[in-house]
Amino acid sequence: MLSSNTYIISSALIRVGRYFNKSYKDLIRELVAELNKDLPIHDYIDYVVVSNVFSDSILEQLDISTMIIQELNLTPKPAVRVEAGESSGLMALKYAHSLIKSGMTSTVLVIGVEKLVEYPTTVVNKYMVRLLNSDVEGRYDIVTVNEAALLMKLYMKKHGHSREDLTIWPIKMHENAVNNPYAQLRNRITKEQVINSQIISDPLRLFDVHPLGDGASAIVLTNNKELMSKVGTGCVELIDVLHASAPPLTHRSDLLSLPASKYLFSKLGNYGVDLSDCVLEIHDSYTILAYLIVEELGLSDRGKAPYVVTDIKNINLSGGLKARGHPVGATGVYQVAEVHRLLTSGLGSIKLNNSWGLVHSMSSIDNNAAVALIRRCG
Amino acid sequence: MKISPPRIWRERYNYYMLRITQCLDCGRASYPTSLTCPYCGSSNIRTVNSSGLGEVITYTISYFRIEGQEDEVPKVIALIKLREGAIVLGEVVDVGLSEIREGLEVEAVLRRLKIDGNSGLIWYGMKFRPIIGAGIPT
Ligand SMILES: [Zn+2]
């Protein structure tokens, strides 16, 4: 019996980290072993959608989705890789959702996987440049970190914030990550540690930046209601995945706005999303972006986000990109898996009764953005 | 080979001349050049060489280390408003870390961007420095 709705019925995650002794295939084997505990995925998966950003750059591997299918002995099932910069995870979800909504297929496995620490950081940094325009930023090896630093400076000046005022976000994220068993950085930090950490791009410091780590996560998306009784730890409904794009940073009339995210957030009312009854996972790759996203969401007045984030509950309970980590292509799938867990069986020991889940992702400084809307079942 | 000869030839105006688009409808300027105005969508545009003169809106001193270019940090990266109105991202050179400031007047200068090993091509492009002479020839 197929539903006209789409459900996330199962999720699997491994802790984000530096896995020198494991390949991307090893990470995926661990995910699948977890999923197979209910029922072998071979028996019910119709399609595999893989989110990955750096397979060509770091793994020297194209068509990674087929390599995964072969590794898992899932042939002849079809698979495809989706890449849209840092929003890849939610774009893969969008692709999977479209396959189901169109009636082409019923049950899709979405895998997010990224292997970053195969090389020293300076090599990975070289590939990070590729997330921006190679004809503009790429020529000078300008990276998102630099652009975030420029925005942080503009923000501090415009709203009269000191560097210290902006430390609250990373402190909160590290605090949240303590309770997330899948987070890369599960240690508390202090204001002094943030403001005395290494300068990456002034005024942005090490503790304002997501760490580099490997990761893999998966979710099962289906419209097959019968499957729900056999597989998974409880369902949530995937209402929609929205995405949008924005002009380059230099072409924006307000440098401190996030045009693509803003556009997507303006659509939330159409779905009846109640942010006060919502679990939020936002793309806090750099401290300043968290504040700008909170402001675009309407959770704070302009320039006031650093004063209100302490009081915003249920935002990045995972620890966010800052502390859960940001295995680039896998991140969006992590966020969705975390929201699935939070609203069903629990993420570690945290379990919530909220009606809604909102996952937000963006690439670089909002070059593109995506939002997944999730609702508790029943 | 890491630097593509056809690519740097094809992009020579954007790379060597700082060529910008001026919109004849809304009057705004943008970089790099495009077929339509990114602000109003008009195709009633003209392409001109920028004077190369501009002013630092804001800047960051970057210590972000990239393989093969570890010696280049710290480097100054800035948002610069050109006199023609276009905003560009660029690197400011020949400036002390205590001299760089918002509002600093800068001029474009042709500099080496990347080298393709010992025998490959050298890729040049525009960086910025504090004004010491006239702008780049137009
Ligand atoms: Zn125009």
Side-chain angles (χ1 to χ4, degrees):
Chain A
M1 174 66 190
L2 300 182
S3 167
S4 57
N5 299 332
T6 307
Y7 301 94
I8 299 166
I9 57 168
S10 184
S11 55
L13 311 92
I14 61 155
R15 185 178 177 186
V16 181
R18 300 167 79 86
Y19 292 103
F20 299 112
N21 58 346
K22 290 179 185 174
S23 70
Y24 78 91
K25 291 173 184 169
D26 292 328
L27 301 182
I28 290 171
R29 268 191 229 108
E30 285 183 31
L31 290 179
V32 171
E34 192 179 332
L35 293 173
N36 281 344
K37 282 179 194 164
D38 294 328
L39 192 69
I41 59 167
H42 190 277
D43 295 354
Y44 65 90
I45 294 292
D46 303 317
Y47 214 114
V48 177
V49 181
V50 175
S51 169
N52 169 275
V53 173
F54 291 111
S55 75
D56 356 2
S57 304
I58 295 179
L59 305 175
E60 295 178 335
Q61 179 68 65
L62 287 169
D63 198 16
I64 192 172
S65 53
T66 300
M67 306 308 141
I68 291 169
I69 284 281
Q70 291 175 346
E71 183 64 29
L72 298 175
N73 292 319
L74 289 176
T75 57
K77 294 179 199 291
V80 67
R81 169 195 177 196
V82 174
E83 188 273 307
E86 292 170 86
S87 297
S88 296
L90 289 193
M91 299 302 183
L93 187 71
K94 175 85 184 172
Y95 192 110
H97 193 219
S98 305
L99 286 171
I100 294 171
K101 293 298 270 187
S102 66
M104 278 192 279
T105 194
S106 182
T107 304
V108 184
L109 175 66
V110 181
I111 296 176
V113 64
E114 202 74 75
K115 199 78 181 74
L116 291 178
V117 297
E118 302 286 84
Y119 293 99
T121 302
T122 56
V123 178
V124 180
N125 286 352
K126 180 173 70 182
Y127 299 128
M128 289 288 175
V129 178
R130 298 183 180 183
L131 289 166
L132 294 99
N133 189 336
S134 67
D135 284 328
V136 181
E137 291 95 337
R139 282 153 54 191
Y140 306 106
D141 289 316
I142 293 173
V143 281
T144 310
V145 177
N146 301 129
E147 296 186 346
L150 294 168
L151 296 193
M152 192 164 182
K153 220 162 170 174
L154 289 172
Y155 186 82
M156 288 164 67
K157 186 178 180 194
K158 182 172 183 185
H159 300 293
H161 291 296
S162 69
R163 185 49 267 249
E164 204 175 309
D165 290 341
L166 304 189
T167 56
I168 187 69
W169 183 265
I171 293 168
K172 183 179 168 107
M173 289 304 103
H174 277 249
E175 182 70 38
N176 287 354
V178 170
N179 299 311
N180 176 7
Y182 306 107
Q184 183 172 6
L185 306 175
R186 300 184 64 194
N187 60 316
R188 291 186 175 85
I189 56 168
T190 64
K191 187 184 282 187
E192 288 66 35
Q193 277 175 291
V194 178
I195 56 175
N196 293 319
S197 63
Q198 184 191 340
I199 300 173
I200 304 297
S201 190
D202 180 61
L204 203 140
R205 289 171 181 265
L206 186 65
F207 279 112
D208 295 305
V209 180
H210 66 82
L212 289 184
D214 304 325
S217 53
I219 54 166
V220 176
L221 209 61
T222 190
N223 61 359
N224 180 351
K225 283 198 141 176
E226 282 172 27
L227 196 55
M228 288 180 218
S229 56
K230 298 177 196 148
V231 173
T233 50
C235 85
V236 292
E237 187 183 344
L238 179 65
I239 303 294
D240 212 344
V241 188
L242 318 171
H243 61 107
S245 56
L249 187 64
T250 51
H251 292 17
R252 296 178 192 169
S253 46
D254 177 1
L255 289 165
L256 294 175
S257 80
L258 302 172
S261 295
K262 186 195 188 95
Y263 174 78
L264 296 180
F265 298 153
S266 75
K267 303 285 175 198
L268 297 181
N270 301 348
Y271 294 86
V273 179
D274 175 5
L275 285 184
S276 67
D277 186 18
C278 190
V279 180
L280 295 156
E281 284 291 329
I282 65 166
H283 190 92
D284 60 328
S285 45
Y286 307 102
T287 298
I288 179 63
L289 299 185
Y291 298 132
L292 297 180
I293 295 162
V294 163
E295 290 172 16
E296 292 293 10
L297 272 167
L299 297 172
S300 162
D301 291 337
R302 293 277 167 193
K304 299 279 191 286
Y307 305 129
V308 306
V309 292
T310 311
D311 299 325
I312 303 176
K313 291 192 175 65
N314 302 343
I315 191 165
N316 286 16
L317 292 173
S318 63
L321 279 64
K322 174 67 204 78
R324 172 236 294 113
H326 183 29
V328 188
T331 301
V333 185
Y334 269 90
Q335 291 171 304
V336 173
E338 286 154 359
V339 168
H340 171 253
R341 293 284 176 96
L342 284 165
L343 295 179
T344 58
S345 60
L347 180 67
S349 58
I350 331 162
K351 204 170 163 174
L352 297 163
N353 292 317
N354 296 78
S355 306
W356 289 93
L358 184 152
V359 173
H360 163 260
S361 203
M362 64 189 192
S363 198
S364 190
I365 311 282
D366 203 48
N367 272 339
N368 71 52
V371 165
L373 296 174
I374 291 161
R375 194 163 60 191
R376 174 181 293 280
C377 279
Chain B
M1 183 184 280
K2 289 176 183 162
I3 296 174
S4 157
R7 184 176 177 189
I8 57 172
W9 174 250
R10 199 168 57 228
E11 295 292 331
R12 62 196 178 279
Y13 298 114
N14 277 336
Y15 289 172
Y16 301 157
M17 308 290 281
L18 212 57
R19 192 162 276 194
I20 57 175
T21 297
Q22 278 181 334
C23 178
L24 299 172
D25 283 335
C26 76
R28 299 184 73 171
S30 57
Y31 176 86
T33 52
S34 56
L35 291 173
T36 54
C37 170
Y39 298 103
C40 73
S42 169
S43 50
N44 186 18
I45 51 152
R46 64 172 185 169
T47 300
V48 296
N49 291 335
S50 163
S51 64
L53 302 170
E55 188 176 298
V56 172
I57 299 171
T58 192
Y59 64 93
T60 176
I61 299 168
S62 177
Y63 296 85
F64 188 83
R65 287 156 50 87
I66 290 171
E67 187 205 24
Q69 295 166 62
E70 290 89 342
D71 297 343
E72 292 184 19
V73 299
K75 63 180 183 183
V76 178
I77 291 161
L79 271 173
I80 292 157
K81 185 165 193 180
L82 298 176
R83 285 211 180 147
E84 295 81 6
I87 293 176
V88 299
L89 272 162
E91 185 180 340
V92 184
V93 295
D94 299 347
V95 66
L97 296 186
S98 58
E99 293 163 347
I100 181 74
R101 58 179 169 81
E102 288 168 22
L104 182 71
E105 293 199 67
V106 291
E107 62 183 359
V109 57
L110 194 69
R111 286 294 163 96
R112 197 174 63 193
L113 296 182
K114 286 171 194 179
I115 306 169
D116 197 352
N118 287 328
S119 54
L121 288 175
I122 299 172
W123 184 3
Y124 293 94
M126 286 299 174
K127 294 189 179 181
F128 293 85
R129 68 179 176 200
I131 290 182
I132 52 171
I136 53 170
T138 50

